[in-house]
């Protein structure tokens, strides 16, 4: 742990974000393994630390758009003129030191007579390659971070080897494969860009990656323009308490979160929220009894097995049946993801369909409502000016409801709270604008009418009976 601490400090120093008396300390965690702890009392909103990526680069999913591998723009892309197979947006990016290094590396791996690769595979698989350009100490730090084992990790290296026919040596291959497992266990999604276009990247932030997961995290993070991650407290954190962040969606119910964490991060979460079937009284993952319509809460009988039993009529719904029901409702929910959104259809589904199966506030209605927050006011069909009074009121209601839910779930001063507070404020501003428009309209119309009422050309509504 001492070694890890030294290497982390060295990393922070090299990125000019080292602090003399840090607010964090690395210790053994009750959860198992190590964790990050508060080294002093930390107030809500305080910055706990800043971190900078050890490795950052394009995401490997073929669904993600291709980006310039230096500035991560998505426009004006061309393949590097030296045939490394990577996309760059300009001469500057192509001639940058970082690219020259990786360009040489990849070109050295090329076997004789090999044709230039023409698709985006090289760009998508670049991130683990970058581990080879780290310093010895950086490589050391990388190796000290948690990694996942398993066959699904490291497919990028298979593509480099089998599809792109690159010929790297076994030491290089080992390090890149290890990097894939470390990235899969620890990387954060980083969004760069501005209103003209955003790209999602994955970054390995070594200090942040030491934080363990909780479904009720006490930290949040955002990024500055230098890809620094700024980690802040969402609640008061007394000295000695562990710092947590979340790898999963906050508004998902426990069974969905647990399954997601088990699949992607290979562990069963045992945080306070996961252990509480009520989820702090939100009943977020409850269903309704098919018999008596009472609320049934999920009770775990083993790691992943859930007993759904009605407390009132003792009726038991099999886990399989619940899964099928949620899948059917979920596929309807996902069908709303189309380009041509009909808000009334979504509201109809939430208010009339879901309530037959799930309590009024449930993970699906919550997810759809959160989606509506970003449709109402922003979708071309539902811009602020064009919103009906009903829909404007609906958005206000949804914001308040979700803010209440965050409070119930003890989210503290989370990013989601910030976003919802802002949207609620937008609703109130729009309502105020409409109200003051109405007032101004009244005075305008009054004066116009006084001037024009006897005029033969006056608008019909102004004409007095003697006209
Ligand atoms: Zn660029
Ligand atoms: Zn190149
Ligand atoms: Zn949990
Ligand atoms: Zn019942």
């Amino acid at each position: 742990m001492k070694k890890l601490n030294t290497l982390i400090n060295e990393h922070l120093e090299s990125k000019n974000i080292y602090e003399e008396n840090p607010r964090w300390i690395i210790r053994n965690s009750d959860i198992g393994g190590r964790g990050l702890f508060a080294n002093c009392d930390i107030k809500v909103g305080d910055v706990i630390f800043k971190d900078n990526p050890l490795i950052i680069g394009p995401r490997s999913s073929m669904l993600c758009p291709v980006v310039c591998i230096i500035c991560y723009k998505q426009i004006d892309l061309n393949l590097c003129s030296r045939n490394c197979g990577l996309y760059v947006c300009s001469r500057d990016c192509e001639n940058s030191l970082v690219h020259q290094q990786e360009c040489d590396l990849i070109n050295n791996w090329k076997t004789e007579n090999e044709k230039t690769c023409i698709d985006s595979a090289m760009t998508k698989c670049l991130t683990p390659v970058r581990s080879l350009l780290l310093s010895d100490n950086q490589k050391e730090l990388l190796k000290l971070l948690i990694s996942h084992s398993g066959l699904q990790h490291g497919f990028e290296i298979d593509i480099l080897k089998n599809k792109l026919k690159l010929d790297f040596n076994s030491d290089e291959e080992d390090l890149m494969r290890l990097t894939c497992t470390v990235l899969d266990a620890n990387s954060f999604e980083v969004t760069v860009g501005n209103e003209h276009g955003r790209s999602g990247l994955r970054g390995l932030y070594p200090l942040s990656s030491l934080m363990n997961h909780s479904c009720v995290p006490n930290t949040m993070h955002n990024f500055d323009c230098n890809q620094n991650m700024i980690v802040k407290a969402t609640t008061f954190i007394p000295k000695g308490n562990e710092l947590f962040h979340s790898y999963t969606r906050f508004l998902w119910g426990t069974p969905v979160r647990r399954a997601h964490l088990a699949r992607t991060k290979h562990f069963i979460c045992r945080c306070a929220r996961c252990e509480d079937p009520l989820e702090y009284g939100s009943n977020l993952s409850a269903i309704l009894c098919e018999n008596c319509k009472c609320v049934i809460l999920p009770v775990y009988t083993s790691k992943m097995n859930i007993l759904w039993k009605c407390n009132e009529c003792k009726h038991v719904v099999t886990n399989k049946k619940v899964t099928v029901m949620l899948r059917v409702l979920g596929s309807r929910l996902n069908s709303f993801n189309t380009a041509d959104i009909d808000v009334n259809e979504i509201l109809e589904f939430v208010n009339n369909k879901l309530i037959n199966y799930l309590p009024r506030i449930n993970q699906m209605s919550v997810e759809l409502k959160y989606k509506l927050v970003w449709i109402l006011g922003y979708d071309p069909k539902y811009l602020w000016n064009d919103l009906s009074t009903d829909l404007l009121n609906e958005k206000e209601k949804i914001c308040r409801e979700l803010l209440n839910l965050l409070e119930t779930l003890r989210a503290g001063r989370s990013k989601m709270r910030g976003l919802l507070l802002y949207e609620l404020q937008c609703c109130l501003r729009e309502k105020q604008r409409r109200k003051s428009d109405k007032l101004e309209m009244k005075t305008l119309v009054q004066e116009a009418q006084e001037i024009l009422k006897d005029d033969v050309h006056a608008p019909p509504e102004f004409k007095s009976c003697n006209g």
Side-chain angles (χ1 to χ4, degrees):
M1 218 171 305
K2 190 139 184 255
K3 180 99 199 250
L4 180 62
N5 200 60
T6 312
L7 288 170
I8 289 274
N9 280 327
E10 210 169 273
H11 164 75
L12 297 176
E13 228 165 322
S14 74
K15 308 284 183 177
N16 288 324
I17 44 177
Y18 172 76
E19 281 175 301
E20 199 68 54
N21 295 306
R23 294 163 160 246
W24 52 269
I25 182 169
I26 307 167
R27 289 218 308 251
N28 283 322
S29 166
D30 291 340
I31 293 176
R34 61 196 174 212
L36 223 49
F37 291 77
N39 202 20
C40 58
D41 285 353
I42 300 171
K43 291 201 298 288
V44 183
D46 277 1
V47 173
I48 309 173
F49 61 83
K50 284 187 187 179
D51 197 5
N52 190 273
L54 195 56
I55 298 176
I56 190 162
R59 297 176 67 191
S60 52
S61 163
M62 294 301 155
L63 299 172
C64 297
V66 182
V67 293
C68 166
I69 48 99
I70 295 298
C71 71
Y72 306 117
K73 269 200 330 201
Q74 289 172 29
I75 46 170
D76 306 327
L77 297 182
N78 283 304
L79 283 167
C80 165
S81 63
R82 293 174 61 211
N83 283 338
C84 64
L86 293 170
Y87 278 95
V88 283
C89 75
S90 61
R91 286 271 145 197
D92 282 352
C93 286
E94 185 174 318
N95 293 332
S96 64
L97 185 64
V98 174
H99 179 60
Q100 292 302 311
Q101 286 175 328
E102 50 204 17
C103 198
D104 289 344
L105 186 71
I106 295 164
N107 274 319
N108 278 334
W109 287 340
K110 287 202 168 168
T111 41
E112 211 77 43
N113 297 330
E114 197 214 322
K115 58 176 194 289
T116 319
C117 87
I118 45 155
D119 67 3
S120 60
M122 189 61 235
T123 298
K124 298 278 165 126
C125 298
L126 172 68
T127 309
V129 174
R130 289 190 160 162
S131 62
L132 298 173
L133 297 167
L134 296 175
S135 71
D136 287 347
N137 276 353
Q138 286 176 319
K139 284 179 189 160
E140 197 78 21
L141 175 55
L142 177 83
K143 287 174 188 167
L144 286 177
L145 302 176
I146 307 263
S147 58
H148 286 327
S149 51
L151 280 176
Q152 74 268 45
H153 307 288
F155 69 91
E156 297 96 324
I157 312 308
D158 296 327
I159 294 176
L160 294 175
K161 205 171 164 175
N162 303 328
K163 194 171 165 204
L164 302 179
K165 308 262 183 261
L166 296 176
D167 184 26
F168 29 79
N169 69 38
S170 62
D171 284 351
E172 290 171 326
E173 178 167 351
D174 289 349
L175 183 62
M176 287 193 289
R177 284 198 186 273
L178 174 82
T179 305
C180 288
T181 63
V182 172
L183 279 169
D184 287 343
N186 300 297
S187 70
F188 286 86
E189 188 176 339
V190 189
T191 316
V192 294
N194 49 30
E195 59 277 9
H196 304 303
R198 289 172 198 274
S199 305
L201 310 173
R202 53 180 184 163
L204 181 63
Y205 289 81
L207 178 54
S208 306
S209 76
L210 298 178
M211 271 190 288
N212 284 310
H213 163 89
S214 165
C215 299
V216 204
N218 52 11
T219 69
M220 60 162 268
H221 64 260
N222 36 41
F223 298 97
D224 68 12
C225 52
N226 298 318
Q227 290 153 10
N228 283 318
M229 180 189 281
I230 299 155
V231 176
K232 294 179 191 166
T234 56
T235 55
F236 171 71
I237 309 173
K239 181 177 176 172
N241 277 27
E242 183 160 1
L243 306 173
F244 292 107
H245 70 133
S246 174
Y247 300 128
T248 180
R249 291 256 203 98
F250 192 77
L251 292 179
W252 284 347
T254 301
V256 181
R257 284 196 322 278
R258 268 198 170 168
H260 175 246
L261 290 168
R263 197 177 59 245
T264 59
K265 301 288 175 180
H266 312 301
F267 73 91
I268 306 291
C269 187
R270 301 225 174 272
C271 76
R273 179 175 165 193
C274 280
E275 299 281 284
D276 175 11
L278 292 157
E279 291 190 58
Y280 301 137
S282 67
N283 287 358
L284 204 58
S285 30
I287 61 167
L288 293 182
C289 174
E290 340 167 77
N291 275 355
C292 70
K293 296 288 165 198
C294 280
V295 169
I296 305 183
L297 295 166
V299 177
Y300 277 85
T301 51
S302 70
K303 269 187 183 176
M304 295 302 280
N305 263 328
I306 307 167
L307 175 71
W308 302 88
K309 186 178 177 187
C310 177
N311 275 335
E312 292 301 316
C313 73
K314 309 297 172 206
H315 176 64
V316 173
V317 190
T318 62
N319 207 9
K320 201 171 164 196
K321 203 165 176 185
V322 175
T323 312
V324 170
M325 176 188 82
L326 292 179
R327 196 173 299 145
V328 171
L329 292 174
S331 66
R332 180 74 185 100
L333 183 148
N334 287 328
S335 71
F336 292 123
N337 278 335
T338 49
D340 189 31
I341 296 153
D342 185 342
V343 164
N344 288 318
E345 215 178 295
I346 299 180
L347 286 171
E348 161 81 17
F349 177 70
V350 170
N351 296 329
N352 297 329
K353 177 93 184 186
L354 281 181
I355 51 161
N356 295 318
Y357 306 95
L358 305 170
R360 201 184 66 77
I361 292 183
N362 63 76
Q363 52 186 336
M364 288 199 186
S365 68
V366 163
E367 195 171 333
L368 278 173
K369 284 176 178 177
Y370 192 65
K371 217 172 258 176
L372 284 179
V373 170
W374 307 108
I375 294 171
L376 296 173
Y378 300 103
D379 185 272
K381 266 170 77 183
Y382 299 97
L383 294 174
W384 284 110
N385 276 331
D386 312 331
L387 277 189
S388 68
T389 312
D390 279 353
L391 285 181
L392 186 57
N393 288 335
E394 187 68 37
K395 174 156 174 169
E396 181 188 345
K397 202 175 92 190
I398 291 174
C399 288
R400 291 187 193 278
E401 199 176 293
L402 293 176
L403 281 163
N404 275 336
L405 177 67
L406 290 187
E407 213 144 291
T408 308
L409 288 170
R410 306 180 190 176
R413 230 166 83 164
S414 61
K415 190 182 280 184
M416 198 182 277
R417 179 176 164 81
L419 294 171
L420 286 169
L421 285 175
Y422 178 76
E423 289 305 315
L424 177 57
Q425 176 275 147
C426 290
C427 291
L428 298 184
R429 197 175 55 189
E430 177 63 19
K431 279 172 97 170
Q432 186 62 43
R433 189 187 67 79
R434 292 183 187 189
K435 218 193 228 152
S436 48
D437 273 6
K438 246 189 215 159
L439 274 177
E440 193 188 359
M441 230 164 64
K442 221 171 157 184
T443 46
L444 293 179
V445 102
Q446 254 171 14
E447 192 180 344
Q449 186 174 24
E450 275 165 31
I451 298 171
L452 300 174
K453 63 181 172 193
D454 299 322
D455 193 313
V456 68
H457 299 302
E461 57 182 308
F462 286 175
K463 281 188 185 151
S464 51
C465 21
N466 59 359

